Amino acid sequence: MKASRRAVPDAARPGTVPTMRSTVVALTTALVSTTGLLALLAGRVARRVVTLSARVPDTTLVDVDVAAQTITLSRSADTVLPGRYGLFTTGTQSYIKLGTVLAAGTDTVTRKLLTQIDESDRLDAAAAFSGWYFSDPAELHLPFEEVSVSTSLGSCPAWVFPADGGSDVWAVHIHGRGTTRAETLRAVPVFHAAGITSMLTSYRNDADAPRSRGGSSALGATEWRDVDRAIGYARRAGARRIILMGWSMGGAIALQLAAGSAHRDLIAGVILDSPVVDWRRVLTHHADLTRIPRPLTHLALDALTRPWASSLTGAGDPIPWDRLDVLARADELVAPILILHSAADDFVPPAASRALRDRRPDLVTLDEFEGARHTKLWNYDEERWTSDIRDWLSARGLTGDADAGN
């Protein structure tokens, strides 16, 4: 007699339990692998944010006409701009100055050379277009001295351009990420003409200053402390009113100082050129441009706040996004602020500058340029840039002893 055939429960079927277990293991492994991959990708994105790299060539030197003293470059949104600029090169010259655009074609731009190039010069094709213009303090033909600012990491060098006849108003100039104090030389003449002493300071991890642990950028979250020491130096040297002049990330540093400096009582005004007001907006903008998915961008930004993720991100210290977001801290600001920004700035878009003006219209004046590129407003329209600053200083009584009209 044959036994009746009854349904066998799934759990009792031969091979069923191992199959289920292997599926779970496979799914778990895939999840861990995916999570690990996302972590690695987020770490790679985050590392780009804090890693200070060498200057990257962004144009090609096509031709130099020694007889005519002209230079032809590959065309870009920057190389076609009107005004005076600089070009970082390699070969027999490391930096040359460029004048007006003489001709612009579909692929190339020819500009007047303002640095003499002769037949013996040899320049490599890869070059970087710059708004610096001045690269050495002696080029301003103004008296200056080299000083040292003591910080927790060591001495940070600075240039001091004293006002004629002395002044108790000092401007502390703060350069941007990955550059040096030479970037800010363009601003010295307008302050000198207004009777204001200028101090151009360095800070940790730039080419002139001491290196922090890991040598990574903290996007202003730690760098501001070095600049605060520079303000202290100015105070001991006789400064009674301080104007902060910040460029790009230097603007972020200036805003951190305006909200939390140990010498906040001396800060009488803040002037910002193409400033970073909210880093998360800027970094999300750049991630979008490179088509990084938003979730991955958010993971990367979050990783930068985590001490345990430093081996992945390369950050020496956690990045405090909320503290760096001056829009959220706008009520802490007390000094008047002049912002110079361009609608055409696609590196640090002006939306956050507009938002800061809208949140603190009692303090913030925004002068928005058209056509200029990031930190190249002086180059694009020097007369307007200079008069904006001169008039703003004069209207607030922030000039020194010298006649601002000279």
Side-chain angles (χ1 to χ4, degrees):
M1 181 174 174
K2 293 183 179 179
S4 62
R5 301 181 63 185
R6 291 182 299 172
V8 179
D10 286 347
R13 288 178 183 169
T16 301
V17 172
T19 300
M20 287 179 64
R21 286 176 180 168
S22 63
T23 301
V24 170
V25 169
L27 287 172
T28 303
T29 302
L31 178 61
V32 170
S33 299
T34 301
T35 303
L37 179 59
L38 282 174
L40 288 172
L41 289 173
R44 183 174 298 178
V45 172
R47 189 175 288 270
R48 291 183 199 169
V49 173
V50 297
T51 300
L52 295 168
S53 57
R55 190 180 302 277
V56 178
D58 58 9
T59 189
T60 301
L61 197 161
V62 177
D63 182 58
V64 174
D65 187 329
V66 174
Q69 286 297 291
T70 64
I71 187 169
T72 300
L73 305 171
S74 58
R75 178 169 182 152
S76 71
D78 285 288
T79 60
V80 77
L81 290 170
R84 296 184 295 166
Y85 299 86
L87 190 73
F88 286 94
T89 59
T90 54
T92 55
Q93 300 270 5
S94 60
Y95 187 78
I96 58 179
K97 294 179 181 179
L98 311 178
T100 189
V101 173
L102 301 175
T106 304
D107 300 316
T108 61
V109 177
T110 299
R111 308 186 72 109
K112 182 66 180 174
L113 276 168
L114 300 180
T115 297
Q116 183 71 27
I117 301 295
D118 59 38
E119 294 286 356
S120 63
D121 282 310
R122 294 292 180 269
L123 302 176
D124 295 334
F129 194 78
S130 170
W132 279 29
Y133 193 70
F134 301 108
S135 62
D136 187 276
E139 295 172 23
L140 297 181
H141 304 289
L142 294 171
F144 73 95
E145 59 179 322
E146 181 99 34
V147 302
S148 292
V149 175
S150 177
T151 74
S152 61
L153 294 180
S155 294
C156 289
W159 295 313
V160 173
F161 291 81
D164 291 339
S167 174
D168 67 355
V169 184
W170 283 47
V172 175
H173 301 251
I174 313 165
H175 67 78
R177 181 180 183 275
T179 65
T180 70
R181 52 194 160 141
E183 178 186 36
T184 70
L185 284 166
R186 286 167 285 177
V188 171
V190 65
F191 288 96
H192 188 268
I196 298 170
T197 293
S198 282
M199 183 178 195
L200 285 58
T201 189
S202 57
Y203 54 76
R204 63 190 64 191
N205 299 319
D206 70 23
D208 298 330
R211 180 182 168 89
S212 69
R213 175 174 56 89
S216 60
S217 172
L219 308 180
T222 58
E223 293 87 346
W224 73 269
R225 298 185 186 124
D226 299 338
V227 183
D228 208 25
R229 295 291 186 91
I231 297 174
Y233 179 101
R235 184 172 209 155
R236 292 188 297 274
R240 295 297 173 262
R241 289 178 292 170
I242 297 289
I243 300 160
L244 301 175
M245 173 76 207
W247 304 69
S248 193
M249 189 183 96
I253 294 173
L255 289 167
Q256 293 299 303
L257 289 162
S261 169
H263 308 282
R264 191 180 180 192
D265 59 307
L266 261 63
I267 298 174
V270 180
I271 302 175
L272 308 173
D273 186 310
S274 314
V276 176
V277 175
D278 178 4
W279 270 111
R280 282 175 293 203
R281 288 194 186 203
V282 173
L283 297 173
T284 300
H285 165 73
H286 281 275
D288 289 346
L289 288 178
T290 53
R291 298 183 179 179
I292 295 173
R294 280 288 180 93
L296 186 57
T297 300
H298 294 155
L299 278 174
L301 295 179
D302 182 66
L304 284 167
T305 70
R306 313 293 181 179
W308 56 261
S310 60
S311 60
L312 280 175
T313 64
D317 296 287
I319 306 294
W321 297 120
D322 289 340
R323 184 154 62 81
L324 291 174
D325 181 0
V326 180
L327 291 175
R329 302 177 63 193
D331 290 343
E332 300 176 40
L333 301 172
V334 295
I337 299 171
L338 171 64
I339 302 178
L340 306 168
H341 217 140
S342 176
D345 189 339
D346 62 356
F347 193 79
V348 178
S353 290
R354 295 171 188 150
L356 186 59
R357 174 204 56 197
D358 294 342
R359 292 194 185 187
R360 292 303 306 270
D362 56 319
L363 288 183
V364 178
T365 301
L366 172 62
D367 186 11
E368 193 165 319
F369 285 55
E370 298 287 339
R373 304 281 286 173
H374 184 61
T375 67
K376 296 181 176 72
L377 283 70
W378 176 93
N379 312 78
Y380 185 83
D381 192 340
E382 181 182 354
E383 183 177 351
R384 175 181 170 185
W385 188 92
T386 299
S387 65
D388 282 348
I389 293 177
R390 182 183 62 237
D391 295 346
W392 186 86
L393 291 170
S394 180
R396 284 153 189 80
L398 294 177
T399 55
D401 296 330
D403 182 0
N406 289 342

